[in-house]
Amino acid sequence: MRNSLWGLFLLAVSQAVWSSVNIEHWQTAQGSRVFFVHTEGLPIADIVIDFDAGSARDGKQAGLAALTSNVLDTGAGQWNADRIAERFESVGAQFETGISSDTASVTLRTLTEKPLFDKAVETLHVILTKPTFSEADFQREKKRTLAGLKMREESPGDLADIAFSKALYGEHPYAHPETGLIETVATLKAADLRAFYRQYYVAANAVVVLVGNLSREQAEATVAALLKDLPAGQKAAPLPDVAMPGRATSQYTAYPSTQTHVLVGLPGIDRKDPDFFSLFVGNHILGGSGLVSKLFEEIREKRGLAYSAYSGFKPMQKKGPFVLGLQTRNDQTGEALKVLNRTLADFIAKGPTEAELTAAKKNITGGFPMRFDTNKKLANYVAMIGFYDLPLDYLDTFTQKVDAVTVASIVDAFKRHVDLNLLQTVTVGGDAQAKSGQ
């Protein structure tokens, strides 16, 4: 019955798009930063807790953050994984864990009816404060992870991603894949996870987001209940700055496939870079808008060299990647790569036309409210704002800042952030023809 009710709520029409988002912010005595948005309508609350405990914190133990996150809810307090799942299911709540390079996240979606809400929050509290990291649970998740890493070696796309990150970041913490490497995961022990948890899953290292039909008083009480017994600890030390590559490089890896995966790029921008909006709008035109982008037009529409072609900036705590990518037939790799590089160079030199810029702005601003038209979407946006310390009016001023972008600001930003002499090129495909064009 609970699940049926939950399904009806999920299918219900969400609240009207917000004309503005009022994000309330405070900090707990233990150092957790809290961000709260009161919404009305559906009796649902979404909770996101982000710890600065992503894969960039792995050190030399690549995969440690991911495995810690995966094992977190396999046992807590007196409950095993089945009992934890039963507790959430009994109140129609949804719980997830996950990581990125920067963050380790726990999320909870629950009904706000008090008995249901309180049980869901209590369960999350025990998971946060009393994970057991038992040897049996650890070994099971480690075995599953290693199986996944072995399967990854059979994916040319995954191999290209790994090589690309290494080419961009060298020895920086962003260089290794989030799920780790076979040789590093194989050496991990349950004690390593416990130590990682004790260091990074602490109150001072947490950003807590609540979005839903709660009062400020209820939100404050919920945060106190969730973080009770969680040690204050210390905020994670700043990550090292990203050094730009010293020169352009090209790396080809042979793989028995009919298609070649192509990635080109370099470290781009951090989340607070003042050029974000010019680069974001410019990239929308270059390769971020799918079927109407310049890369798609030149590579797919005009020449049929690939099913799709794309580009994107991924801003993070430090400079995240700027990447251009495509997948093409082995014998067309050289030509496709030449067209990709030429299209990028032309865009950096000239930028978009006024007509292209106007169309891009309309596309971005017209669809923007749909990006946070549910509590869950909004919670994820607010978590991004909180974790990266962005202005609380970020959502309210987004369209204004997009509209302020000009052709000149796009050209200026791309010229300063995308140095063609430093591009890193990675190709993984079926034969030596993939080397041509590099």
Side-chain angles (χ1 to χ4, degrees):
M1 182 63 177
R2 297 292 185 198
N3 289 338
S4 297
L5 288 172
W6 183 255
L8 290 174
F9 282 128
L10 291 180
L11 291 172
V13 176
S14 67
Q15 304 169 42
V17 172
W18 292 273
S19 57
S20 64
V21 178
N22 179 30
I23 303 175
E24 299 183 57
H25 168 55
W26 65 92
Q27 185 163 313
T28 70
Q30 291 76 29
S32 300
R33 292 180 294 139
V34 184
F35 299 83
F36 167 59
V37 179
H38 168 75
T39 61
E40 296 181 349
L42 299 179
I44 296 173
D46 284 276
I47 298 171
V48 178
I49 304 178
D50 279 346
F51 294 94
D52 190 337
S55 62
R57 302 297 177 182
D58 283 342
K60 295 182 179 180
Q61 297 176 294
L64 177 57
L67 199 52
T68 302
S69 174
N70 290 340
V71 178
L72 191 67
D73 66 334
T74 60
Q78 301 300 312
W79 308 322
N80 61 17
D82 289 339
R83 184 69 183 119
I84 290 171
E86 288 170 2
R87 287 182 63 85
F88 283 130
E89 289 172 4
S90 70
V91 295
Q94 299 172 350
F95 171 80
E96 294 179 349
T97 65
I99 72 154
S100 68
S101 295
D102 285 339
T103 65
S105 302
V106 296
T107 62
L108 175 67
R109 172 162 250 223
T110 178
L111 300 170
T112 54
E113 183 181 341
K114 185 171 174 53
L116 309 181
F117 183 81
D118 288 350
K119 186 173 182 179
V121 168
E122 178 194 9
T123 306
L124 177 54
H125 163 70
V126 174
I127 292 171
L128 285 174
T129 60
K130 299 177 182 178
T132 55
F133 296 110
S134 75
E135 186 65 26
D137 291 335
F138 165 71
Q139 291 295 344
R140 182 179 62 253
E141 288 300 315
K142 178 178 175 179
K143 183 177 180 180
R144 185 185 63 81
T145 298
L146 287 170
L149 296 180
K150 290 177 182 176
M151 289 182 61
R152 187 177 67 187
E153 294 183 335
E154 300 176 7
S155 167
D158 288 342
L159 295 177
D161 288 338
I162 294 169
F164 185 69
S165 293
K166 186 66 176 176
L168 262 60
Y169 293 108
E171 299 303 317
H172 190 274
Y174 285 162
H176 66 267
E178 293 170 3
T179 49
L181 304 167
I182 291 176
E183 58 269 27
T184 55
V185 172
T187 65
L188 292 177
K189 298 179 174 57
D192 298 321
L193 276 62
R194 296 188 192 102
F196 187 88
Y197 164 80
R198 287 194 298 268
Q199 180 174 357
Y200 292 110
Y201 283 72
V202 294
N205 203 37
V207 170
V208 184
V209 172
L210 301 93
V211 174
N213 196 358
L214 301 169
S215 67
R216 168 68 180 258
E217 182 180 9
Q218 288 174 308
E220 290 181 354
T222 299
V223 173
L226 283 173
L227 303 184
K228 180 181 64 176
D229 305 323
L230 194 67
Q234 294 182 336
K235 183 172 174 55
L239 293 172
D241 291 337
V242 172
M244 296 299 288
R247 60 182 178 86
T249 66
S250 295
Q251 177 183 333
Y252 166 69
T253 301
Y255 191 90
S257 61
T258 59
Q259 296 276 309
T260 295
H261 292 257
V262 177
L263 296 175
V264 177
L266 74 176
I269 56 173
D270 62 53
R271 181 50 81 170
K272 299 178 77 171
D273 194 294
D275 290 320
F276 170 80
F277 284 94
S278 290
L279 294 171
F280 172 73
V281 176
N283 179 74
H284 187 83
I285 300 164
L286 173 64
S289 54
L291 303 182
V292 296
S293 72
K294 285 183 173 292
L295 287 173
F296 189 91
E297 171 71 16
E298 294 295 327
I299 294 171
R300 165 67 189 274
E301 291 297 316
K302 290 185 178 180
R303 298 170 177 85
L305 295 172
Y307 181 76
S308 67
Y310 62 90
S311 65
F313 286 91
K314 184 183 178 182
M316 301 194 295
Q317 285 199 76
K318 298 297 181 178
K319 291 181 178 180
F322 169 60
V323 58
L324 305 92
L326 58 86
Q327 184 179 341
T328 188
R329 207 171 66 205
N330 292 333
D331 62 339
Q332 295 179 328
T333 303
E335 183 183 359
L337 187 52
K338 287 177 182 176
V339 175
L340 182 148
N341 284 327
R342 184 168 63 245
T343 303
L344 173 61
D346 288 345
F347 188 78
I348 293 173
K350 303 172 185 176
T353 65
E354 288 291 348
E356 288 170 335
L357 178 58
T358 298
K361 288 180 178 180
K362 288 181 179 178
N363 185 262
I364 292 169
T365 59
F368 181 66
M370 298 303 293
R371 297 187 183 191
F372 55 99
D373 63 345
T374 67
N375 283 359
K376 187 172 184 178
K377 292 180 185 178
L378 180 57
N380 288 330
Y381 257 101
V382 175
M384 183 266 290
I385 290 168
F387 186 83
Y388 292 107
D389 195 26
L390 299 177
L392 294 184
D393 64 354
Y394 178 88
L395 296 176
D396 293 337
T397 62
F398 185 92
T399 57
Q400 174 187 336
K401 291 181 178 179
V402 168
D403 286 335
V405 171
T406 65
V407 171
S409 72
I410 290 173
V411 172
D412 175 62
F414 266 82
K415 284 183 176 178
R416 285 185 290 104
H417 289 281
V418 183
D419 187 339
L420 296 175
N421 296 314
L422 301 180
L423 289 178
Q424 307 297 299
T425 301
V426 169
T427 54
V428 177
D431 56 43
Q433 291 180 8
K435 293 181 180 179
S436 62
Q438 297 184 30

